[in-house]
Amino acid sequence: MKKTRFLQLLLPVLLLAGLTGCGPIEPWVKPYERDRLADPIMALDGDPVSTAYIQHVYEAREGARGGEGAAGGGCGCN
């Protein structure tokens, strides 16, 4: 008896909780704030040339077993 009463109370609560997800979704970043995200200071790597070189060395070293998904062998000769 108590179990059915609990389920009768739980069903509307779950239904309302599910309907709240259908509301209008606001973007986290407003269009006028996106220029701040494109600023070079927001980049994860400080030196893109050095990062590209290190990535190339890593791909050449791990290429024999597919470490980064690069095509070719592990010798580094492309």
Side-chain angles (χ1 to χ4, degrees):
M1 186 70 159
K2 288 184 179 185
K3 189 174 186 179
T4 57
R5 180 69 179 152
F6 176 72
L7 290 176
Q8 287 177 348
L9 292 174
L10 184 63
L11 183 63
V13 170
L14 290 176
L15 183 65
L16 287 174
L19 288 176
T20 58
C22 298
I25 298 174
E26 294 288 328
W28 291 353
V29 180
K30 304 290 184 201
Y32 56 86
E33 295 174 331
R34 292 186 182 161
D35 63 335
R36 295 184 188 138
L37 293 176
D39 195 335
I41 197 118
M42 297 294 285
L44 294 177
D45 55 342
D47 186 11
V49 175
S50 175
T51 303
Y53 174 73
I54 295 297
Q55 187 67 24
H56 173 71
V57 170
Y58 179 77
E59 287 174 358
R61 186 179 62 214
E62 298 292 328
R65 62 182 179 138
E68 200 57 39
C75 66
C77 50
N78 293 331

